[in-house]
Amino acid sequence: MVLQDKLGRRVNYLRLSVTDRCNLRCMYCVTKDFKYIPHPDILRYEEMLRLIDLAAGMNINKLRLTGGEPFARKGFMGFIDNIMARHGEMDLRITTNATMIEPLVPDLKRLGVKRLNISLDTLDRQTFKEVTGRDHLKDVLATIEACLSHGIRVKINAVAMKGINDRELGDFINFARNNPLDLRFIEFMPMGDETLSDSRFWSADDILRQASKFANLIQVKRTSENRGPARMYAIEGGKGRLGLISPVSSHFCATCNRLRITSDGHLRTCLFSDHTYNLRGIMRNPKLGDDMLRKVIAAATRDKPLGYHLLESRKGCEGVCETQMSAIGG
Ligand code: SAM
């Protein structure tokens, strides 16, 4: 079975959030009135494995594990081990803040994890504390170094924020110049919360203009390896690359191939739409089986919206969606 929507978009990519808990309190992610999902509503690992098995049977071949902070959930390494044993052929990546995993890097390598996407919004210790509420910059940098020395590829994701990390653009470019990794700026998506207002928005085009003062950037052609939402640039004379992801200023809805499942088992077909499908309810109903799950996933995919229409209808300081990112997984 191939998943496809009414517009002909093929879906082969699943972001699965394993928890909504996180050890950081990033200013762009956590909204003021957020509440944790009650534990009994969070999917058990075996329920997640059931969904991954189903997804694999529907030609999903890219799996991203996210959170909250996925490594904050007990038993997460065992879960990775189980996925690798059942679906070694899947392109598996984990999105992490990398604050607590430096000692786990050799084990991740042994389990067959080839890539990590690491969130890092600043290279300055004080700014790190202000952005995340915690003092963990040293740990993140140590994890990156450990990954690179163990041959785990690293993509860094930095949320671009005017007045917060724009002054570090030159440092970021030097970091990517000196290390073999991709450093990608993601446009900040306003969450309709006063903690971080729309005025912090720093567009991908502005970043590119300013970045060209620090380096000669050569756009990387799109290939089967480089088909994601990021525009990628090689840094002349450097080891790494710079990338720009522009969900707000220049959407990539036409090529969106993603589904998301939240840690409480709700299927979300567009980041910007709060319409979800309750897969947990189906899974926990003994009268319903995998056929019903497949039907709902296929029908939901058919109706996958074009998120930019939803963004256009945003008014004033409304957020891009009503669910906080830590509960969706980014
Ligand atoms: N804890 C993990 C981490 O830090 O990567 C995974 C969860 S985090 C919600 C996933 C991604 O969402 C991160 O790369 C984060 O930077 C991004 N994100 C969260 N809120 C965002 C926002 N308002 N705008 C843009 N990106 C956001």
Side-chain angles (χ1 to χ4, degrees):
M1 183 198 259
V2 171
L3 289 170
Q4 189 162 343
D5 76 356
K6 280 186 202 142
L7 305 166
R9 292 178 293 178
R10 283 271 181 95
V11 166
N12 66 339
Y13 175 126
L14 173 64
R15 284 182 83 83
L16 175 65
S17 171
V18 303
T19 178
D20 64 333
R21 269 61 171 180
C22 186
N23 59 326
L24 301 185
R25 292 288 174 272
C26 298
M27 48 166 62
Y28 49 77
C29 191
V30 179
T31 53
K32 266 203 215 132
D33 54 353
F34 97 105
K35 287 190 192 75
Y36 284 130
I37 299 168
H39 275 297
D41 291 348
I42 299 280
L43 293 185
R44 296 185 293 275
Y45 282 130
E46 56 272 27
E47 291 174 314
M48 292 188 184
L49 283 171
R50 180 175 167 194
L51 288 174
I52 294 170
D53 290 348
L54 277 174
M58 291 187 278
N59 280 300
I60 298 273
N61 54 19
K62 294 180 198 302
L63 177 64
R64 306 294 181 254
L65 301 178
T66 178
E69 172 49 39
F71 288 94
R73 179 159 176 182
K74 218 166 141 193
F76 184 60
M77 293 294 276
F79 181 53
I80 299 174
D81 197 8
N82 276 325
I83 297 173
M84 296 307 281
R86 289 152 94 117
H87 301 290
E89 75 298 342
M90 268 204 185
D91 170 5
L92 170 77
R93 302 185 195 178
I94 303 163
T95 302
T96 172
N97 61 35
T99 53
M100 46 183 151
I101 60 168
E102 192 219 343
L104 300 180
V105 169
D107 289 334
L108 287 169
K109 177 74 184 175
R110 189 179 45 74
L111 292 181
V113 172
K114 296 192 183 72
R115 295 161 191 260
L116 287 185
N117 287 2
I118 294 180
S119 300
L120 177 63
D121 307 312
T122 172
L123 297 168
D124 175 76
R125 183 174 173 189
Q126 187 54 34
T127 312
F128 190 98
K129 282 199 241 173
E130 281 158 24
V131 171
T132 68
R134 305 284 187 270
D135 185 12
H136 281 308
L137 176 63
K138 203 161 49 74
D139 305 307
V140 181
L141 295 176
T143 303
I144 293 172
E145 212 179 301
C147 285
L148 295 179
S149 69
H150 281 82
I152 294 182
R153 286 178 66 180
V154 172
K155 284 186 183 173
I156 307 262
N157 292 324
V159 176
M161 293 169 284
K162 239 186 214 164
I164 293 178
N165 58 7
D166 53 347
R167 57 181 174 258
E168 292 183 53
L169 185 55
D171 297 336
F172 272 120
I173 290 176
N174 278 335
F175 192 69
R177 205 194 302 272
N178 297 330
N179 292 287
L181 45 75
D182 285 353
L183 194 151
R184 305 162 342 150
F185 280 101
I186 307 178
E187 283 177 348
F188 157 59
M189 294 177 270
M191 299 309 294
D193 186 67
E194 293 139 36
T195 22
L196 199 62
S197 76
D198 283 30
S199 64
R200 296 293 186 189
F201 183 75
W202 183 24
S203 76
D205 285 347
D206 273 353
I207 300 171
L208 184 59
R209 245 187 316 275
Q210 292 167 27
S212 55
K213 291 184 202 144
F214 297 101
N216 195 10
L217 299 173
I218 305 140
Q219 186 153 16
V220 178
K221 280 210 187 95
R222 291 207 170 260
T223 59
S224 52
E225 260 284 280
N226 169 36
R227 265 197 327 210
R231 277 184 274 159
M232 295 305 304
Y233 297 85
I235 299 172
E236 196 177 65
K239 295 180 185 164
R241 308 189 298 179
L242 180 74
L244 299 166
I245 305 181
S246 49
V248 180
S249 69
S250 167
H251 63 83
F252 27 82
C253 299
T255 54
C256 181
N257 59 351
R258 299 176 175 198
L259 295 179
R260 292 175 167 80
I261 298 180
T262 55
S263 54
D264 60 348
H266 282 70
L267 173 68
R268 198 176 171 106
T269 56
C270 171
L271 181 59
F272 302 135
S273 167
D274 289 303
H275 185 84
T276 60
Y277 303 80
N278 184 356
L279 303 181
R280 187 190 71 230
I282 301 174
M283 278 195 287
R284 292 187 183 173
N285 182 336
K287 293 194 187 127
L288 302 174
D290 285 355
D291 275 349
M292 180 55 80
L293 283 169
R294 275 192 215 94
K295 263 189 209 153
V296 171
I297 295 170
T301 303
R302 261 194 305 282
D303 283 339
K304 187 173 156 59
L306 279 170
Y308 76 95
H309 286 320
L310 306 168
L311 279 189
E312 279 166 2
S313 63
R314 267 182 87 219
K315 290 181 211 81
C317 295
E318 270 177 6
V320 295
C321 60
E322 302 219 332
T323 317
Q324 67 166 32
M325 285 292 169
S326 62
I328 304 175

